[in-house]
Structure formats: structure tokens, C-alpha cells
Amino acid sequence: MELLSNLALGFQTAVSPLNLLYCLAGALIGTLIGVLPGIGPVQTIAILLPTTFALPPVSALIMLSGIYYGAQYGGSTTSILVNVPGEASAVVTCIDGHQMARQGRAGAALSISALGSFVAGTFATFVLAVLAVPLSEFAFRFGPAEYFSLMVFGLIGSVVLASGSLLKAVGMIVLGLLLGMVGTDVTSGAHRFTFGIPELADGIGFVSLAMGLFGICDIIHSLEKRERRDILKSKLTGFWLSGSDIKASAPAVLRGTLCGSLLGILPGGGAILSSFTAYMLEKKSSKNPESFGKGNICGVAAPESANNAAAQTSFVPLLTLGIPPNVVLAMMAGAMMIHGIQPGPRVITSNPELFWGVIVSMWVGNLLLVLLNLPLVGMWVRLLSVPFRLLYPAILLFCCIGLYSVNNNTFDIGLTALCGLLGYVFHKLDCEPAPLILGFILGPMMEENLRRGMLLSRGDPAVFFTRPLSLAFLLMAAVLLLLVALPSIRRSRESAFKEG
Amino acid sequence: MCIRHPKDFLTGVMFVGFGAAAMALSFGLAIGSAAKMGPGYFPFLLGAFLAVLGAVILLRSLVSARRVKEWPVLHLKPLGIVLLSVVLFSRALKPLGLVVSTVGLVVLASAASHEFRWKEALLTAAVLAVVVWTVFVYFLEFQIPVWPQLVAGRT
């Protein structure tokens, strides 16, 4: 059994005392930041990226995955207790979760969200482990043309399944690709778009860009709104689920898990899409759909399981094909590259202990979250009552010190302020920054593969259409674009994201 | 003809601007040929695509939208203060050291909130300065200047 020996290798790596500690630390800090309203996994990862740079790559990735799940879990806690979704994927959890909290069943809602996430995480870890080897072997057959087309497909997929204007999202991708070009050209050594600034020769720092667009910009954005919170004041009790709760929610957890595992693998899939889909699926298949929105436990169980399953399976395209399917995974890809690991099919053979260690640590991280967060929930609630005006200067300060620590220079801090300004402009113009990050990560790889593909074909672009796999990817991208352009689908796409 | 969708209009202007700038800057680099692409080839293509896309969005904003949409509202105070505090921190860190920069950043950034209170901001700054010194200087032993250069130079 190759799978078992692989998982055993992973266990050895993941449960070494040091890595276990980093996993725990990541999960805790991730929850700590993720609990803050308005701060989701993307912002959390952006803010905490520098904390992992001093670690060896395996530990850093383990800690980052811990941060990711912790942030997601923290987000659900906030949506249940405060009715302010910490992040987009927790929007649907708000609907029934907060109603349950108002009925005095916040404990049950938090428990099912934790247990559902754990079940989903366990299943999705296995999906990831089973799919990883065959998929990465499949990817070894890819030439540059296939890779280029796959990236086009991945980028298109990520905007088609997201909300908002398609044209703008495509524009943001292209802008991201362009920003990815800044720095020294690998092939010729020429400096591109550096304006003679020596610090830009290595390109725009990923941490600066991510922190500016998500961390700093979101703080400014939150400051524009007046604070209004609806915190649950009553004491939290009753974490134990009753027999009828378990009976009602078990099938919902399973359906959510399957739905999330499947959607997580798709480009553009991931936590947000899967939790919306799982919620709607649950509502449609329920015997009494009118009880949704009024504190139905299935309305918490299904999306929470789905988003956790998807969070895990969305590692599949990143670790096997090197394509981040959504912005959170783009952050992980950025972190891997900073550690000198190029995400892609080679990871599994060249760094098996990293690959399997990270996979197993995801499961361990989920277990730790269940064990820790239910007892700690009182602490998170107290954190929620700290006013934002005291929190944000602290977040800003830790961002700045973190940025300085990356390269021990202050240029990165100034660059981040600039990126924050850019992010503010994007926000005001309703331009989502997520596609830009994806483009930024994929830009250099896309150019490299385009160059090599065209070099091999002696300048004939037909190579992208004559190689069957490459053609298939491009056709799929075209079909996706056409689908969105169809009016009927466009309408249902818009309404799907307004369901919350 | 009037601007019916200001946000889209401005997005269009922004994309055209970035696209045109990328094209112009790519001209300064070697473009090369399709078979042997120079450093300017791909950015030039991207810039052209972005400019066209921006133009489409811009033109559409003049005709589409069933009713005229509003212009985006800017709140310059939080934007300016937060960005300024970050930039000042980056300028102050090397000459003035971590402790002074921290206090400056926290007090200035706090002023961005509409609930700003001097006492509270100073207290937060003091607490954070102690926390930051304990965590980053004492425990993690960061390579970071702690005190202003003049003072540190004498000791």
C-alpha cells in the first residue's frame, strides 16, 4: 500500500514535536486574527505571512495551513456570535448560525460547525492523498503549451465562478500578470518596470502586495464604516449536541462534505462557492425549507462542512499542477515560492516529506481546532468585545514590523502603503483584488511557458490549438466564458451570490 | 452622452492608463519576435489587452446601466492618516528606532478613528511598545534598531 506508507511518512513529519507546535501555534493565531470581524482567511494569511519566514519550509507551510483553518474557524465563530461574517465564505453560516445563537443555541451551533468541519476535513484529506499521486503523474506529461493553456483555464475559471463584473475581473487578472512582470526578466536579465529602483529588481514583494491589498486596505475600509456590532451577551452553554441534533445534521454534514470536496478541486472553487452551494442544496433537498433562516441546524452543518472540505481539496490543483485555484491558495503558493519551493507536480517527488507532512498536518490541525476551540470559545468572545479602535493600530503595527523582518529593510513598508492605496482605489471602483493576486502569482510562470512553447514551435501560435490537451483546456475556458455571457446563467449567477 | 456608471468609467480609465503605460514601457525593452520573445513581448501584449479591455469598460459605462449610478464617495481622513502613519513608520524606524516609531505609528493611526481619544491612544501606544519590545527584541532577538541613533550611539 503506497498510500499508507506515504501517509506514514506524513505522520512522522507532522507529529514531530516541533511541527506539532507550529501547527498548534498557527491554528491558534489564525483563529485569534480570524475571529476579528471583517478579517477573513486571506487577510489573516497576509498579515501573518512574515511570521513563518524564519522557519524551515515544512514547518512554515504546516503553520500556514494551520493559520488558514484557524482563520476559517474563527470566521464561523464570529458569524455565529456577532452576525458579522468575518469573511465571504462565512456569510451563509450567519443566516442560520446567528438565529440559533439568538435562540440560545450558540453552543450547539459552534459545536456542529467544529464537528462538521472535522468530519469534512478528514474526508477531504483522504481525497487529497488519493488524488495527489495520479494527478501529479498526469501533469508530468504536460509541455509548456499545456501549462500555458491550463493557466488560462485556471484564471478564467477563477473569475467565472466569482461574483461581480466579469470584464473587470479579467482586467484585474491582466493587471496582476503585469505586476508580476516587474523585476528582473529571468531569460534576458533585463530590468522591467523597475524605474531604476534597486529594491524592485527582485520584483514587487508578494508580502507587500498581499498585505497592502488585503490588510491595510481593509483596515481603512473598516474605518470608513461606523462600528455597529450585535454581540451575543448571554453566557454560552450547551455545547453538547442532542441526539435529535446529531440525527438531523449528520446527513447535512455528509452532503456538505461531498459537495465541498468536489467544488474545492475546480479552478475558482474553494470555500466561498462551496458553502453557498451546499447551503442552497440543503435548502432545496430539505423537507421543510421554510425552517431555513430561522435557526435550522442543517443550515450551519452543511456550509461549514463544505467550506472546510473545499479548503482542503483546493490544495489538490496547487500541489499537483502548480495552479492555485483561488486567492487563499495563491497566498500559499506565494509563501512556498518565498521558501524556494515551486508549487507543481515536482513537489511530491522532490520533497515527499514536505508534501505528505503538510497533508497530514491538515488533519492534525483540524483535530487540534476541535479540541482547542470549543474550550477556548469564551476567550474569543471576549476578544470580540475589544473595540476596533484599539485593535487596528495594533494590527497595523504588527504588519509593519512583520514587513521589516522579511528583508530587514524599510522599503517594503513604504511599498505596502502604496499597495494599500491601490487597494483602496480598487475597492472604491468595485474591482475585486483577488484575481489580481492570482495573476501576480501565475504571471512569471505563464510568460515562461508561453516563451518556451513558442520557441519550440518556432513562433507558430497554432501549437496551443493542435496539441489535444492544450486545446481541451482552452476550449473549457471558452465554454466557461460563453456560459457566463448567456443571460439566463448570468442572472442565476448574480442571484446565487445575493442569497445571503 | 454622459457618464452613466462612474465606477465603471473610472475603472476603464484606470485600465487604459495602466495598459498604455505598460505598452510604452515595454517599448523601451527588447520586444523580440514570436519565436524568440524579448523581455518586452509578453508585457506589451498584456498592456495592449488591458488597454482594449479598459476601453470597452469605459465605453460601456457611457451607454449601459438602466439608471445613472453614483460616484464613489471617498473618505480621505482614514485613508490619509493610516497610509501616512505607515509611511512615517518606515521612514522613522532606522533613525529613531522601534520604540519611538511604535508610539508614533499607534498614536497617529489611532487618530484615524472617529472615536479618537488622546489618553486612550497614548495608553495603547505605551502598552504596545512594551509588548513589541518584549516579543521582538527580548524573545525573538530581531535585528532591528531599538532606540534613536543618538542615544544608542552613546551607550
Side-chain angles (χ1 to χ4, degrees):
Chain A
M1 281 303 283
E2 206 194 345
L3 181 66
L4 284 183
S5 68
N6 284 336
L7 286 177
L9 174 68
F11 256 105
Q12 266 171 21
T13 317
V15 297
S16 78
L18 204 60
N19 285 341
L20 206 58
L21 184 73
Y22 286 128
C23 187
L24 178 70
L28 271 181
I29 308 175
T31 317
L32 184 82
I33 305 283
V35 154
L36 306 174
I39 295 184
V42 187
Q43 288 86 344
T44 310
I45 297 178
I47 293 168
L48 295 176
L49 263 179
T51 58
T52 62
F53 286 167
L55 309 178
V58 184
S59 310
L61 280 183
I62 286 177
M63 184 167 164
L64 270 175
S65 340
I67 290 173
Y68 177 20
Y69 310 128
Q72 207 157 45
Y73 189 85
S76 348
T77 309
T78 317
S79 15
I80 290 169
L81 297 176
V82 198
N83 202 20
V84 177
E87 29 125 7
S89 73
V91 169
V92 276
T93 310
C94 270
I95 309 173
D96 278 281
H98 193 64
Q99 285 305 319
M100 283 182 77
R102 293 182 155 236
Q103 293 158 16
R105 308 215 309 134
L110 287 168
S111 293
I112 192 64
S113 135
L115 290 174
S117 296
F118 178 66
V119 172
T122 310
F123 179 77
T125 305
F126 266 99
V127 171
L128 179 51
V130 170
L131 281 181
V133 178
L135 254 178
S136 61
E137 274 164 12
F138 176 62
F140 271 124
R141 302 214 303 250
F142 289 6
E146 280 79 17
Y147 262 116
F148 180 79
S149 305
L150 175 66
M151 284 180 219
V152 172
F153 170 60
L155 286 173
I156 297 288
S158 71
V159 294
V160 165
L161 296 174
S163 59
S165 156
L166 188 68
L167 277 184
K168 281 182 176 179
V170 174
M172 291 301 275
I173 290 183
V174 179
L175 194 53
L177 290 170
L178 273 171
L179 290 178
M181 303 286 112
V182 175
T184 312
D185 173 35
V186 195
T187 320
S188 66
H191 283 200
R192 293 193 286 193
F193 310 142
T194 57
F195 303 102
I197 302 168
E199 283 92 343
L200 279 179
D202 286 336
I204 296 175
F206 179 69
V207 186
S208 297
L209 186 71
M211 222 184 246
L213 290 184
F214 292 105
I216 309 261
C217 176
D218 285 357
I219 288 178
I220 299 172
H221 175 220
S222 307
L223 281 170
E224 292 188 343
K225 296 184 296 191
R226 300 244 154 193
E227 225 176 330
R228 189 189 61 85
R229 279 191 218 166
D230 180 14
I231 300 178
L232 196 77
K233 287 275 157 45
S234 61
K235 208 168 153 14
L236 278 166
T237 46
F239 286 112
W240 295 106
L241 297 165
S242 69
S244 62
D245 280 342
I246 294 176
K247 222 176 130 200
S249 53
V253 167
L254 292 182
R255 278 191 292 263
T257 303
L258 287 177
C259 173
S261 303
L262 199 68
L263 287 173
I265 301 175
L266 297 180
I272 303 173
L273 180 76
S274 58
S275 58
F276 273 96
T277 316
Y279 187 79
M280 287 199 292
L281 202 74
E282 210 49 46
K283 201 171 166 183
K284 288 231 170 78
S285 65
S286 168
K287 282 187 204 95
N288 42 347
E290 65 278 1
S291 69
F292 278 82
K294 292 175 189 135
N296 189 327
I297 195 163
C298 295
V300 179
E304 279 299 295
S305 317
N307 78 27
N308 210 48
Q312 229 107 324
T313 56
S314 53
F315 276 90
V316 170
L318 177 70
L319 291 176
T320 59
L321 306 176
I323 308 287
N326 58 43
V327 62
V328 180
L329 273 294
M331 304 288 249
M332 299 296 282
M336 287 174 85
M337 288 179 200
I338 291 170
H339 280 287
I341 301 161
Q342 181 69 38
R346 250 168 272 279
V347 176
I348 202 168
T349 42
S350 61
N351 301 57
E353 77 294 337
L354 176 130
F355 185 88
W356 296 103
V358 170
I359 288 186
V360 173
S361 83
M362 293 173 184
W363 183 78
V364 177
N366 273 302
L367 185 67
L368 289 176
L369 279 175
V370 175
L371 295 180
L372 281 174
N373 275 332
L374 290 179
L376 283 181
V377 81
M379 199 174 100
W380 307 139
V381 175
R382 227 165 300 147
L383 188 70
L384 279 173
S385 51
V386 177
F388 183 67
R389 65 171 191 279
L390 298 182
L391 278 177
Y392 79 88
I395 298 177
L396 217 52
L397 175 67
F398 287 112
C399 281
C400 286
I401 297 177
L403 278 164
Y404 177 79
S405 74
V406 177
N407 292 326
N408 277 354
N409 78 32
T410 51
F411 175 81
D412 289 348
I413 308 178
L415 186 63
T416 306
L418 191 67
C419 293
L421 178 65
L422 204 60
Y424 182 81
V425 173
F426 293 153
H427 179 84
K428 284 292 158 193
L429 300 178
D430 292 338
C431 293
E432 286 279 331
L436 184 138
I437 294 277
L438 278 171
F440 181 80
I441 288 287
L442 286 179
M445 279 196 273
M446 235 177 142
E447 184 185 28
E448 170 109 11
N449 283 297
L450 178 71
R451 270 180 172 176
R452 272 196 283 168
M454 294 291 270
L455 187 69
L456 290 175
S457 74
R458 298 199 177 83
D460 183 9
V463 66
F464 297 102
F465 305 100
T466 49
R467 297 185 61 130
L469 261 175
S470 167
L471 180 68
F473 287 133
L474 288 179
L475 281 180
M476 283 195 284
V479 168
L480 278 180
L481 276 179
L482 276 179
L483 279 178
V484 185
L486 289 180
S488 62
I489 297 200
R490 190 147 95 194
R491 241 172 285 129
S492 65
R493 175 171 169 262
E494 273 158 17
S495 69
F497 284 99
K498 277 184 189 126
E499 178 80 0
Chain B
M1 189 127 97
C2 67
I3 297 166
R4 301 184 62 85
H5 198 316
K7 284 183 181 175
D8 277 8
F9 176 79
L10 293 173
T11 308
V13 172
M14 178 176 77
F15 284 170
V16 170
F18 274 118
M23 285 160 79
L25 287 169
S26 302
F27 261 124
L29 302 158
I31 298 277
S33 67
K36 269 190 88 98
M37 291 181 191
Y41 197 98
F42 193 49
F44 185 82
L45 281 186
L46 289 176
F49 183 52
L50 187 61
V52 171
L53 205 67
V56 172
I57 295 174
L58 199 156
L59 290 176
R60 211 183 49 163
S61 76
L62 300 175
V63 286
S64 76
R66 257 157 270 148
R67 56 194 172 80
V68 178
K69 300 256 169 77
E70 284 152 25
W71 286 81
V73 186
L74 300 183
H75 299 265
L76 292 177
K77 189 183 154 201
L79 174 75
I81 292 182
V82 169
L83 291 184
L84 185 70
S85 68
V86 173
V87 172
L88 282 183
F89 182 86
S90 80
R91 295 272 152 202
L93 187 59
K94 285 242 164 99
L96 296 180
L98 182 64
V99 174
V100 177
S101 313
T102 294
V103 173
L105 171 83
V106 174
V107 173
L108 182 60
S110 298
S113 168
H114 52 86
E115 295 167 300
F116 176 68
R117 271 171 246 159
W118 268 106
K119 255 190 200 162
E120 204 178 69
L122 286 172
L123 193 68
T124 319
V127 171
L128 281 173
V130 173
V131 169
V132 160
W133 185 85
T134 323
V135 173
F136 293 103
V137 181
Y138 188 77
F139 280 111
L140 297 177
E141 296 176 352
F142 263 32
Q143 292 303 309
I144 201 165
V146 183
W147 300 108
Q149 264 169 0
L150 280 172
V151 183
R154 253 182 268 143
T155 49

